[in-house]
Amino acid sequence: MSKRFNSRSRSAVIPLAAVSALVAGAALTGCGQQRDGSVYTVLNSSTDETYHRWDAQAMARCGKRLGVTVDQRSVPAAQVMTKALRMASSRSLPDIVQFDASEMPTFAGAGGLVDLRTLGLHTEDVPQGIVNFGSYKGTYYGAARSVNTLALFYNKDLLDQAGLKVPATWAELRRTAKQLTRGRRYGLALSAGGAEDGVFQFTPFMWSNGGDETRLDGPRVVEALDYWKGLLKDGSLSKSTVGWTQADVNDQFMAGNAAMMINGPWQVETLNTKKSLHWGIARIPVPKAGEKSVGPLGGAVLTVPDTGDARRERMAGKIVACLSSEREQLTYARNSWMVPANEKAAAAWRRQVPELDALADQVAAARSRTAKLGAGWPGVSLALQSAFQAALTGQSSQAALQRAQQRATSGN
């Protein structure tokens, strides 16, 4: 997990009706307070010092180009939605909110966001999957500056010493992980914790196997969870996997306690601090050779709340367009190791960081978690989290996922 929002959100699931009531009131009554016409506010989760600085610099550049001041207000990722709702209730919504993309549909579904295309933003150079990532029911509400996904990181030295190739299929991954498990070192580390981290990490196995979040107890989903159980049974995964976040997984890999890991580019900056660690990156293995590795798109999107002030919304749209421009995306991606959302910027990024080329390939086939379920995703995520905990501590995958499907359907 990145130091802030990139792959997941820990926010509580907030009923859509409650969100609707708050944001509707904000839109109907306008901003509710006088604002400085030359100062525009952005609510985001850039609480980490480096990310906050990078964002502040980008906002200063865009503000200078547009003749306004862009003021950044940062809160922890888990608080962005609740902070936005409190501001809506007090009619003091910011001009721009950067939501985790998995949360954006909840606010959009309540009528709280402006269609970015009506503000002049275009998506010609953005892959359709990333356009969908920032859309709700076909309307483009969120512009991504960069996106991320998961990949297989591996310790080059350990694979070389064992004479092993980088695994490309499930069978190869299981065999390689077992061979690399020695003493206190596990062959593989991944997150199966009871939070969005675990769900984010399960989706490549579920989707690449043909499983679907609309039927959690389907045979392909059961097979994917059984695969995880097999790795645990082999001893290739630590029993602590059920409690690990993605940050914990990275710590284990860097400490030499795992030969491979499933993780994302937000870990690269930390990985590079250990000069003795020679790591590589590859696509996440697939059930059978030649199949497509489908991972989850992670990241955040810039949105313009519907405050009823058309003039401010138009300028907010220009700020979003500037922050998500090709030039700014490339600068941001070079700092954060994320993949630019813009195709031209992504092509330049590939040339500049060829060691992460496999990640760009994985992003090209990645999917949004909310593409099929929209605002219904958080409930399904919670159900899956419980299923992992049950299945990896003894219950059958079938029984755990049947219960998850019941929970997802009933909302309990």
Side-chain angles (χ1 to χ4, degrees):
M1 170 58 192
S2 112
K3 294 174 182 174
R4 43 183 208 150
F5 53 73
N6 291 290
S7 71
R8 60 178 168 87
S9 169
R10 292 186 179 275
S11 299
V13 177
I14 304 171
L16 184 60
V19 178
S20 298
L22 290 170
V23 300
L28 288 171
T29 55
C31 294
Q33 61 180 23
Q34 283 296 113
R35 302 194 186 196
D36 185 331
S38 64
V39 178
Y40 288 76
T41 57
V42 179
L43 174 66
N44 63 21
S45 58
S46 298
T47 53
D48 178 83
E49 188 275 329
T50 54
Y51 280 93
H52 193 84
R53 183 177 72 254
W54 295 335
D55 279 341
Q57 290 168 349
M59 290 174 196
R61 287 191 295 269
C62 287
K64 185 176 181 180
R65 288 172 204 154
L66 296 168
V68 296
T69 299
V70 185
D71 180 30
Q72 177 180 206
R73 300 178 186 177
S74 302
V75 298
Q79 298 176 22
V80 171
M81 175 64 81
T82 51
K83 176 71 172 178
L85 290 175
R86 284 198 299 271
M87 295 176 82
S89 68
S90 64
R91 304 184 184 91
S92 59
L93 274 168
D95 299 288
I96 297 166
V97 179
Q98 184 163 283
F99 283 114
D100 184 282
S102 65
E103 291 185 321
M104 179 274 293
T106 300
F107 218 81
L113 300 176
V114 179
D115 180 350
L116 294 182
R117 288 194 174 97
T118 67
L119 300 178
L121 275 83
H122 304 288
T123 58
E124 288 85 354
D125 295 325
V126 182
Q128 189 58 46
I130 299 177
V131 174
N132 294 342
F133 182 66
S135 300
Y136 176 69
K137 293 187 175 179
T139 301
Y140 184 58
Y141 292 111
R145 288 186 291 171
S146 66
V147 292
N148 62 70
T149 190
L150 295 167
L152 178 72
F153 289 74
Y154 57 92
N155 185 311
K156 291 181 177 181
D157 294 337
L158 293 178
L159 264 72
D160 288 345
Q161 290 164 14
L164 298 170
K165 297 188 303 181
V166 178
T169 66
W170 280 10
E172 292 173 1
L173 177 60
R174 188 167 180 179
R175 185 167 58 249
T176 303
K178 194 170 184 178
Q179 290 177 274
L180 290 171
T181 299
R182 294 285 184 277
R184 297 182 61 184
R185 186 187 73 213
Y186 293 93
L188 179 67
L190 55 80
S191 168
E196 187 73 12
D197 273 14
V199 179
F200 197 70
Q201 295 226 330
F202 183 65
T203 53
F205 295 88
M206 175 173 72
W207 288 339
S208 297
N209 197 42
D212 192 281
E213 57 269 34
T214 62
R215 188 186 169 194
L216 300 182
D217 56 352
R220 298 292 189 174
V221 185
V222 174
E223 285 177 4
L225 189 49
D226 274 341
Y227 181 76
W228 272 18
K229 290 191 69 165
L231 291 166
L232 191 64
K233 182 180 179 181
D234 291 345
S236 300
L237 292 179
S238 167
K239 291 182 179 178
S240 299
T241 294
V242 294
W244 281 348
T245 65
Q246 293 177 116
D248 296 329
V249 168
N250 194 58
D251 289 342
Q252 295 298 319
F253 183 72
M254 291 188 68
N257 297 329
M260 301 179 288
M261 70 170 176
I262 305 295
N263 228 314
W266 51 87
Q267 307 294 8
V268 170
E269 185 179 9
T270 304
L271 288 171
N272 284 342
T273 63
K274 188 172 183 179
K275 302 303 181 184
S276 62
L277 177 61
H278 305 128
W279 56 271
I281 189 171
R283 298 187 199 187
I284 296 176
V286 292
K288 295 179 182 178
E291 295 181 334
K292 184 181 292 186
S293 182
V294 184
L297 273 175
V301 291
L302 294 164
T303 69
V304 176
D306 181 359
T307 61
D309 188 331
R311 182 189 63 81
R312 291 190 70 91
E313 288 169 3
R314 285 193 297 273
M315 177 54 74
K318 291 179 181 179
I319 296 169
V320 169
C322 178
L323 291 172
S324 59
S325 65
E326 181 181 341
R327 178 167 57 174
E328 289 296 341
Q329 281 193 26
L330 188 55
T331 299
Y332 185 78
R334 284 200 304 262
N335 284 334
S336 65
W337 300 96
M338 304 301 167
V339 182
N342 178 287
E343 288 180 320
K344 293 178 181 177
W349 181 86
R350 279 179 185 258
R351 293 190 294 271
Q352 293 175 19
V353 284
E355 66 271 28
L356 296 185
D357 196 55
L359 187 74
D361 291 337
Q362 188 88 51
V363 161
R367 280 178 50 188
S368 166
R369 287 162 286 169
T370 59
K372 290 190 175 184
L373 299 176
W377 170 260
V380 167
S381 175
L382 287 174
L384 272 175
Q385 292 165 29
S386 296
F388 301 152
Q389 300 294 293
L392 296 177
T393 55
Q395 194 174 72
S396 74
S397 298
Q398 183 72 59
L401 288 167
Q402 283 177 341
R403 173 59 180 149
Q405 181 61 32
Q406 291 168 358
R407 287 189 63 182
T409 303
S410 67
N412 298 317

